[in-house]
Amino acid sequence: MSIFGKAQGTGRHEDLRFLTGQGRYVDDMAPAGALHALFLRSDHAHGVITALDLEAARDVPGVHLVLDATGLEALGVTLGMKGARLRNADGSMGAGPERPVLARDRVRFVGEAVVMIVAETMAAAQDAAELVALEVEGLPVALAVAPGGSAVHPEAPENRAYDWKIGDHAAVEAAFAAAAHRVTLEVIHNRIIVNAMEPRGCFAEWQAGRLHLCVNGQGVWNQRNELARMLGLGREAVRVTNPDVGGGFGMKAMTYPEYVCVAAAARALGQPVRWIATRGESMLTDNAGRDLVATAELAFDAGLRITGYRVNLVSNLGAYNSQFGQPIQSELFSKVLTGVYDIEAAHLRAVGVYTNTTPVDAYRGAGRPEAILTIERAMDEAARVLGVDPFELRMRNFIMDFPYRSATGELIDVGDFPRVLTRARDMADVAGFAARRDASAARGMLRGIGLATYIESILGDPEETARLVLDADGGATLYVGTQSNGQGHETTYARMVADWTGLPEHSVRIVQGDSDAIARGGGTGGSRSVTVQGTAMRATVRTMVAGFTAFLAEEWGVEEVSFDGATFGAEGSNMRLTLAEAADLARARGRADLLDISQTTTLDGRSYPNGAHIAEVEVDPETGALVMDRYTVVDDFGTLIAPDLAIGQVHGGVAQGYGQAVCEAGIYDDQGQLLAASFMDYAMPRAGDLPMFGFASEPVPSIMNPLGMKGCGEAGTVGALGAISNAVRDALAPRGVNRVDMPFTPQRIWHWLKEAEDV
Ligand code: SMO
């Protein structure tokens, strides 16, 4: 059997549905006659609500409900949404009040929901919104990604949410004191607007004493629990479902104010209520990504071995503590602080600040792209300053002995970083770069090459449940706790089950995103699905097979029945049954218990996907325009079960990384107004911007799960930022440009070149 498994399929099961317009998204699913919710939002970045009169709005024909914070509380709704908070280095609890579902006395970012209107038509809701008398007296606006400035929350002095540390500070100090070389670099991580293809949306209905919320999320159980808490309902009284979801990227993993309001309205009115964001509303209110400043320092001995590493991080959390914002910019960053390098002494200080901007939370990679970009830029800068080849500097510092305990406490099970990097170097034809650079120069162009290695730590809940039911038609239904947002789980999981059972791949139906289907699931995020869910699926199949072997032994009157992955058989007997045939026999014998098996598994360690990316860019010094014309990725995702889908994930991830590196930026003016309302003023990467990617797999199977897999959903994004940044740095260095900050737009590059010329 190859590492790819024997049930190698072709194409994705869900693609026919998606590509022929048969995907069923939340806005397609809303019940006929559902009322429309509209949110009146603050157009001030910061201010005190001095007047709010809803009476005229309530009188508009077709309007059923107009609610502010007080009205929502009167419906028995808890106003404050919980977010994970950190403990400060001194042991005290990090600051920050809960995020109100509707603003009460004060507004803290443009787009914050103040009033919900529910009406028979969107037009009536819009008319009513015009008649809401909302007056806000402006307050000074805090926007800097730095402590200080006007206070966003009285609870957070200097707007500091937390001041968190990890690592051995004294050991790092000693390493720097004794170092032969020190290199310092500031890395700005630009703010990203997430821009899922499908905007956020939901509908809610109250049915037979239970609430059903259908929402385009990344999992249902977390949202069910949070909704139950906020609405004062028992968890059993809430069902959350996810239909087809058009992109999540971390941003759709949270409960948002609109979902709570829509659910409360459906309960109060006894009628279904629907809401879908406009594109502009999404840009303004979806949790944003990144937005931090990192200062990195590396200490080297005379042999160019890293002896110490420290990072000072200041992260913009936006106006409120969103669900995962604080841990992402601290704990999750720290998990891969030192990358793929053997660094004994390392230290991270992470400070989170509130500003009058949209909250910031998970974005593909969630803390790991930030940490890896930081160290990979620092390594590149070190190679440049110390005059050593960037490949050589990395080779000299790789972790070589496994398992490896990192300075921040991660236990990395396996890896072979030199093998990965060497393969990438060969595939990218690094040896031929000088000739390509000369050819570019002959055309007046600047060419640069950039390398980044990366490692991830797979995040999220290590527990997952799978339920497998053998159906009367010979197929099977698999219930899972994860939720595809486009990754192709229906295909991957079906292939895995087919591979283990011999059931035809296309006969395995996947049911995801239903909190009534299984007891609990962790949802999709942190590249966890295939390892954590896959392990539960494997255990479920094993338990089911064990049940059948015992059953058939009895039926056949033999000692032992074996299963070869497709058929049951017994030594010295010509009896052979497929799983579907055995299921028929069980059905005939009244053994329904054999047909419906659930297993919950918990992994006791994380897996560590890793790899190397090499980008080549060409810059036109006349215009600053950049073309990325070569891109190579070599990944170690451990065992690959569906390589075609894994490669798709890498392509999408690299494109997303390119977006942040080259064109995307969520920018506010000095009054806290977001300067992007549509794709006219927010640049997303396009297919034509990207070259054909070179891809290879150099797997070292993980020993932390029985599948040997490592997770691939975020890896492309994690590696791309550093590779592209280092390539741009390399292209511009000969012209004396010594600092580059993302995004690498033509205008910025042109200015840097001009500045360097003028020096
Ligand atoms: S940014 Mo992801 O859904 O962990």
Side-chain angles (χ1 to χ4, degrees):
M1 192 176 115
S2 81
I3 57 150
F4 297 149
K6 61 187 170 185
Q8 239 308 46
T10 50
R12 304 201 320 167
H13 299 188
E14 45 274 86
D15 283 354
L16 183 65
R17 184 167 91 244
F18 290 149
L19 296 175
T20 56
Q22 296 171 79
R24 297 282 287 160
Y25 299 90
V26 67
D27 207 45
D28 303 318
M29 309 276 287
L35 300 171
H36 294 264
L38 176 85
F39 291 87
L40 181 73
R41 301 180 181 282
S42 174
D43 51 18
H44 281 75
H46 198 193
V48 175
I49 298 176
T50 51
L52 181 55
D53 187 339
L54 309 177
E55 285 316 309
R58 288 188 170 124
D59 292 340
V60 172
V63 169
H64 288 236
L65 191 65
V66 182
L67 281 181
D68 60 7
T70 310
L72 196 63
E73 281 184 304
L75 293 178
V77 176
T78 300
L79 201 63
M81 304 182 68
K82 279 200 194 309
R85 279 195 293 153
L86 290 177
R87 223 165 253 296
N88 292 313
D90 67 7
S92 63
M93 207 59 205
E98 292 178 343
R99 175 180 182 177
V101 173
L102 292 173
R104 199 209 308 263
D105 309 314
R106 228 161 128 171
V107 289
R108 291 185 172 86
F109 69 95
V110 173
E112 183 169 9
V114 183
V115 175
M116 174 178 60
I117 298 163
V118 181
E120 283 160 25
T121 62
M122 191 42 79
Q126 282 162 342
D127 286 348
E130 298 279 328
L131 298 175
V132 171
L134 168 65
E135 281 172 36
V136 173
E137 197 179 296
L139 290 168
V141 174
L143 294 168
V145 187
S150 65
V152 178
H153 298 286
E155 297 90 336
E158 293 200 287
N159 290 323
R160 222 183 279 260
Y162 56 82
D163 189 337
W164 185 88
K165 294 185 174 116
I166 193 169
D168 186 340
H169 189 254
V172 173
E173 291 291 306
F176 273 86
H181 311 281
R182 298 174 199 86
V183 177
T184 302
L185 183 73
E186 184 183 76
V187 183
I188 296 175
H189 302 245
N190 44 323
R191 186 185 185 100
I192 291 299
I193 297 173
V194 179
N195 289 315
M197 211 186 319
E198 180 202 16
R200 280 191 305 117
C202 67
F203 70 84
E205 51 194 345
W206 187 258
Q207 291 173 321
R210 289 184 88 213
L211 171 73
H212 171 216
L213 179 87
C214 178
V215 56
N216 50 15
Q218 296 179 213
V220 291
W221 286 270
N222 257 334
Q223 301 223 7
R224 178 199 62 182
N225 298 348
E226 180 70 351
L227 268 183
R229 182 186 74 82
M230 298 195 67
L231 295 171
L233 294 167
R235 288 179 180 179
E236 69 294 339
V238 181
R239 178 188 184 201
V240 175
T241 59
N242 292 157
D244 285 331
V245 177
F249 309 111
M251 178 274 289
K252 282 184 182 153
M254 309 89 192
T255 303
Y256 280 84
E258 294 88 356
Y259 311 159
V260 181
C261 292
V262 165
R267 176 171 65 169
L269 297 169
Q271 278 192 69
V273 179
R274 69 195 293 168
W275 171 75
I276 186 97
T278 62
R279 179 57 62 186
E281 210 173 9
S282 278
M283 289 180 147
L284 208 52
T285 67
D286 294 354
N287 291 332
R290 321 291 193 225
D291 206 354
L292 50 141
V293 181
T295 306
E297 293 173 273
L298 280 166
F300 293 88
D301 66 16
L304 298 185
R305 292 270 314 184
I306 306 165
T307 54
Y309 181 52
R310 66 185 165 210
V311 175
N312 262 300
L313 196 64
V314 184
S315 301
N316 185 357
L317 302 174
Y320 294 103
N321 178 21
S322 178
Q323 229 164 336
F324 314 114
Q326 291 202 10
I328 285 171
Q329 294 304 335
S330 49
E331 289 166 354
L332 304 197
F333 189 110
S334 82
K335 293 200 176 298
V336 293
L337 177 71
T338 47
V340 286
Y341 309 112
D342 177 14
I343 306 178
E344 255 177 55
H347 188 261
L348 168 67
R349 179 182 177 197
V351 170
V353 297
Y354 294 111
T355 62
N356 293 115
T357 62
T358 304
V360 180
D361 207 315
Y363 181 64
R364 202 169 189 170
R368 290 156 295 165
E370 293 91 323
I372 295 298
L373 171 66
T374 303
I375 194 162
E376 288 304 308
R377 284 288 295 113
M379 285 297 280
D380 194 71
E381 207 58 33
R384 196 168 292 281
V385 171
L386 303 174
V388 53
D389 177 82
F391 289 85
E392 170 59 25
L393 188 65
R394 285 172 171 86
M395 285 290 196
R396 226 178 265 197
N397 284 284
F398 279 149
I399 296 165
M400 299 298 286
D401 298 317
F402 297 90
Y404 177 84
R405 178 72 70 179
S406 79
T408 51
E410 288 288 290
L411 189 66
I412 302 173
D413 57 344
V414 291
D416 188 343
F417 308 138
R419 185 173 113 202
V420 167
L421 181 57
T422 304
R423 179 86 187 269
R425 186 182 190 153
D426 292 346
M427 274 182 63
D429 184 26
V430 173
F433 171 72
R436 292 193 294 277
R437 185 187 51 206
D438 293 347
S440 293
R443 293 185 291 110
M445 299 291 189
L446 305 169
R447 178 173 285 265
I449 190 166
L451 157 69
T453 54
Y454 78 88
I455 188 163
E456 286 191 88
S457 169
I458 295 311
L459 302 174
D461 194 340
E463 182 193 299
E464 200 51 82
T465 298
R467 178 180 165 211
L468 186 62
V469 179
L470 298 179
D471 299 319
D473 66 0
T477 306
L478 175 73
Y479 297 84
V480 294
T482 55
Q483 172 63 41
S484 182
N485 315 140
Q487 295 93 333
H489 293 176
E490 288 170 56
T491 307
T492 307
Y493 294 166
R495 278 192 201 167
M496 290 163 88
V497 171
D499 192 22
W500 300 328
T501 62
L503 289 167
E505 185 183 312
H506 285 269
S507 78
V508 182
R509 294 167 280 260
I510 311 297
V511 176
Q512 56 185 347
D514 185 348
S515 66
D516 278 1
I518 54 175
R520 184 173 168 270
T524 285
S527 300
R528 71 185 283 278
S529 294
V530 85
T531 52
V532 187
Q533 185 71 68
T535 299
M537 285 159 48
R538 185 87 187 99
T540 302
V541 167
R542 289 208 162 166
T543 304
M544 179 175 273
V545 165
F548 275 103
T549 52
F551 164 68
L552 291 174
E554 210 171 295
E555 280 288 325
W556 295 342
V558 297
E559 277 292 304
E560 203 177 309
V561 170
S562 60
F563 185 65
D564 64 5
T567 53
F568 294 95
E571 184 110 10
S573 156
N574 58 3
M575 295 293 222
R576 298 213 75 81
L577 289 180
T578 64
L579 182 59
E581 289 163 348
D584 284 338
L585 185 60
R587 236 173 253 115
R589 297 284 189 270
R591 291 293 306 277
D593 60 300
L594 297 173
L595 308 174
D596 183 345
I597 301 293
S598 258
Q599 288 285 294
T600 299
T601 51
T602 305
L603 296 180
D604 53 12
R606 303 173 183 284
S607 61
Y608 294 86
N610 62 85
H613 289 217
I614 298 175
E616 237 174 273
V617 300
E618 193 178 68
V619 170
D620 182 344
E622 297 295 321
T623 63
L626 173 157
V627 172
M628 185 167 87
D629 78 342
R630 293 172 68 94
Y631 202 93
T632 304
V633 184
V634 176
D635 286 314
D636 167 10
F637 294 145
T639 305
L640 285 179
I641 285 196
D644 48 341
L645 275 77
I647 293 169
Q649 285 295 305
V650 171
H651 287 189
V654 171
Q656 205 160 336
Y658 174 95
Q660 176 172 6
V662 177
C663 48
E664 296 184 52
I667 298 170
Y668 288 85
D669 74 7
D670 60 1
Q671 292 305 301
Q673 296 290 338
L674 183 65
L675 298 181
S678 76
F679 291 130
M680 291 296 286
D681 28 48
Y682 189 90
M684 296 285 285
R686 300 168 187 222
D689 295 337
L690 302 165
M692 293 302 288
F693 300 121
F695 174 86
S697 166
E698 284 290 343
V700 183
S702 172
I703 55 174
M704 301 317 285
N705 65 73
L707 311 171
M709 302 176 80
K710 297 186 176 178
C712 67
E714 295 160 300
T717 315
V718 178
L721 302 173
I724 298 169
S725 295
N726 291 339
V728 172
R729 174 80 174 91
D730 188 53
L732 303 184
R735 294 290 184 98
V737 174
N738 293 319
R739 175 169 179 156
V740 296
D741 291 309
M742 305 184 299
F744 306 119
T745 60
Q747 186 192 27
R748 288 157 71 97
I749 290 177
W750 187 85
H751 273 288
W752 295 331
L753 287 166
K754 281 287 157 209
E755 272 168 23
E757 231 172 65
D758 295 345
V759 167

